[in-house]
Amino acid sequence: MAENAEIVVELRDVVTRFDEKLVHDGISLQVRRGEVLAVVGGSGSGKSTLLREMVMLLQPTAGSVTVLGRDVTAASEIELLPLRRRLGVMFQDGALFGGQTVLENTGVPLREHTELSGDLIDEIAQLKLLLTGLEPSVGALWPNQLSGGMRKRAALARALALDPELLFLDEPSSGLDPISADGLDDLILQLKELLGLTIVMVTHDMDSLWRVADRVVLLGDKRILGAGTMTELSRSVTPGIGKFFSGPRARVAAREHNQGASL
Amino acid sequence: MARPAKAHADGGLVFCDGDWSALHVATAERQLKSIRLAPGEIKIDVSGVERIDSSGAWLLSRTARQWRSKARTVDFVGTSEHIRQLFRLIAEQGIEGEPPRPATHGFLENLGRDSLNAATEQLAFLSFIGNITFSSLRILLTPARLRWSQVVTDAEESGFDALPIVGLLAFLIGVVIAYQGGVVLIQYGAGIFIADLVGLAMLRELAPLITAIIVAGRTGSAYTAQIGTMMVTEEVDALRTMGITPIDLLVLPKLFALVVMLPLLTVFADLMGLLGGMAMASSMLDMSFQNFVDRLGQSVRLQDFLVGVGKAPVFAAIIASVGCYQGFRVTGSAESVGKQTTLSVVQSIFLVIVVDAVFSIVFSALDI
């Protein structure tokens, strides 16, 4: 990754406080175009909150968030609209609309923001569903008929509807069996290559971190404990970082990764 | 910013230029559709395309496919590496035919399905009533098993918290009746009968009915929404797996709380309605409170009061059981919660009024 690549998301000294509870105390990070940045950390470390701030669902208490060159902490909701069309968000449980079929769900951004004909929208939605590895017949199903993995894929298809430049994924592989999780990881990598996406993901999954992430940011103790590639972080001797990346699960994932690399 | 996508034809050559991304490709879609093809081979020139995403690429490739299906040879010229990549991506998905849509049914089939649904709905409600009755009887034998703290909380929410709105509305109804009745009664010099009118109308009919309708809208809907949301989040299933009957935990406390609170609310509505009538009588007819109360004592019998309050527990049972039943009918989605909540309020108000009418007939037959 070139060091001078364009910066698409930048957080500067972000402080977040809910009532008395301090969640972030001065977080600064940058996302460069074309990379996959993973945000990791223990439960309650404020990963998802950070993601919500980047996708403009939550205003930080202090500090600034810049998305695609625009300071979103100072902008009004109307000013943010054009920006929102340029990013896709996949929520943890899919957040598919229950009253619409999967195909209609996927077409929602197209229907809302373009003047394309209904047929074309359905076809594009179908293309996105197939891209995420779903069977052609899934489009006619309702969200509550889907399994967890299918729901994630459908949510990913909807996030990709407008071919966003920036894709945010909240726990993409949580709640999936290892094979589905691997499949989703591959899919994310493939789509990133094909569509030229920049991806910010929040995850717990050590395998995903090794396979997908170009760079990893470790949150803990209200601030960033470490940032870098997985290899760098896993070799770190700083106590907080070492502990996170040297648990039994992390070691297995690292070993598999290194074996895979040496084969 | 790039120009919106455009397409125009010149003989066998179709030129495409501009920004072929999803947000800017709508005009091009219409232009491509209106192109009348010249006979012979067709070339689509995409060298003028400045930007393209998968939606634009899909539009190009589906157009090419449509033209090919009319036995034409279609070729792309001037494709960039990016466009070729997108075409490859689309080709790999092997899209064939129309996107699937949920099956739709003909009129007769819909009629049949709706009738069957309506019938099973009635049956399910009956079995729910039976279920509640059975559980209630069982719990009455062992009252210690009732979740009393839940009953108290529900009683506070459905009863105590409703006092202001019930009181205000009952007062206003009292005012309105006294005013409308008073206008007529004065003409006959029968102003004193205003107490009879307000007393009998409020105590026998209006106070129980108004209270039940308010509570159906306020509490019945809350019951449906609460249980419905618990159905969506699988909390009800969680209770079942822990060996806790959802009816015991969710329905019976609400039912018992409402059966106790609705009569009490009705008594409060009686009082406030009479107060409203008194206030109106004193301001319009110069009838003192003392006179009003004296007249009330002569005209209204204890059984008029009991008839009104006695209907309240029945109304309460209707509201609570319909509210909870509709909650359990929720399936899967947020939309369903809204639908069942509406149904719950409409059905409970409907049933309350129907049952009230039945009561009137029965009471007049029994001469109460």
Side-chain angles (χ1 to χ4, degrees), chain A residues 80-87 107-116 121 158 161-162, chain B residues 21-26:
Chain A
L80 289 180
L81 270 182
L83 204 54
R84 286 187 195 276
R85 286 179 208 157
R86 294 168 64 191
L87 44 95
V108 166
L110 290 158
R111 230 172 282 278
E112 200 55 40
H113 295 307
T114 72
E115 277 145 37
L116 300 174
I121 286 177
R158 188 176 70 182
L162 288 173
Chain B
S21 60
L23 293 174
H24 303 106
V25 85

Side-chain angles (χ1 to χ4, degrees), chain B residues 54-92:
Chain B
S54 57
S55 301
W58 168 254
L59 177 58
L60 286 174
S61 68
R62 64 102 88 146
T63 309
R65 180 194 308 214
Q66 278 168 0
W67 289 343
R68 280 187 193 122
S69 70
K70 293 174 190 161
R72 298 303 188 86
T73 339
V74 182
D75 285 314
F76 286 98
V77 281
T79 49
S80 65
E81 179 53 34
H82 184 52
I83 295 183
R84 279 197 294 275
Q85 260 180 9
L86 286 170
F87 281 166
R88 227 172 297 144
L89 178 71
I90 290 169
E92 277 167 14

Side-chain angles (χ1 to χ4, degrees), chain A residues 99 117 122-123 136 163 194, chain B residues 29 54 58 62 89 100-101 335:
Chain A
S117 67
D122 283 350
E123 289 166 16
D163 280 33
L194 289 169
Chain B
E29 187 202 354
S54 57
W58 168 254
R62 64 102 88 146
L89 178 71
R101 294 191 174 79
E335 204 182 24

Side-chain angles (χ1 to χ4, degrees), chain A:
Chain A
M1 193 61 48
E3 281 302 313
N4 55 1
E6 185 194 348
I7 288 165
V8 284
V9 181
E10 180 166 25
L11 272 64
R12 209 171 286 164
D13 300 323
V14 165
V15 178
T16 314
R17 187 191 296 277
F18 295 122
D19 296 326
E20 290 303 297
K21 193 173 181 297
L22 189 63
V23 181
H24 303 135
D25 187 10
I27 288 192
S28 300
L29 67 86
Q30 295 178 334
V31 184
R32 303 183 199 121
R33 187 173 287 281
E35 74 173 344
V36 177
L37 179 83
V39 180
V40 298
S43 297
S45 60
K47 305 183 296 287
S48 292
T49 308
L50 203 64
L51 191 80
R52 288 174 71 82
E53 284 167 350
M54 289 192 244
V55 300
M56 301 168 267
L57 286 174
L58 189 75
Q59 286 274 349
T61 315
S64 74
V65 179
T66 311
V67 178
L68 296 168
R70 211 188 150 113
D71 183 356
V72 299
T73 37
S76 72
E77 195 56 36
I78 291 172
E79 290 169 323
L80 289 180
L81 270 182
L83 204 54
R84 286 187 195 276
R85 286 179 208 157
R86 294 168 64 191
L87 44 95
V89 186
M90 174 184 150
F91 288 91
Q92 196 170 348
D93 295 314
L96 298 173
F97 307 122
Q100 300 178 336
T101 63
V102 172
L103 189 74
E104 288 166 342
N105 257 291
T106 313
V108 166
L110 290 158
R111 230 172 282 278
E112 200 55 40
H113 295 307
T114 72
E115 277 145 37
L116 300 174
S117 67
D119 285 345
L120 186 61
I121 286 177
D122 283 350
E123 289 166 16
I124 296 174
Q126 178 74 352
L127 172 68
K128 298 289 153 82
L129 286 173
L130 294 174
L131 266 182
T132 56
L134 289 168
E135 293 290 313
S137 57
V138 172
L141 298 180
W142 301 92
N144 56 11
Q145 297 173 303
L146 301 187
S147 70
M150 288 158 90
R151 198 171 302 147
K152 296 233 175 202
R153 284 166 191 266
L156 184 59
R158 188 176 70 182
L160 291 172
L162 288 173
D163 280 33
E165 298 163 49
L166 244 174
L167 183 63
F168 294 91
L169 309 172
D170 193 358
E171 305 263 0
S173 52
S174 75
L176 296 186
D177 64 88
I179 296 169
S180 305
D182 285 349
L184 203 68
D185 285 345
D186 288 340
L187 179 69
I188 289 168
L189 277 179
Q190 207 183 351
L191 291 176
K192 178 203 147 198
E193 288 304 318
L194 289 169
L195 305 174
L197 300 168
T198 307
I199 299 177
V200 179
M201 62 195 279
V202 163
T203 187
H204 279 298
D205 187 338
M206 284 294 160
D207 291 315
S208 287
L209 288 176
W210 278 109
R211 291 165 55 110
V212 184
D214 294 320
R215 230 153 42 88
V216 176
V217 169
L218 173 64
L219 291 188
D221 199 19
K222 305 174 182 62
R223 56 185 78 237
I224 292 181
L225 293 180
T229 63
M230 265 314 266
T231 321
E232 286 165 17
L233 285 179
S234 62
R235 287 182 189 150
S236 167
V237 287
T238 318
I241 306 175
K243 198 171 141 203
F244 195 86
F245 291 105
S246 63
R249 285 159 170 276
R251 279 205 300 272
V252 170
R255 198 158 55 229
E256 278 176 8
H257 177 78
N258 292 332
Q259 277 167 3
S262 61
L263 280 175

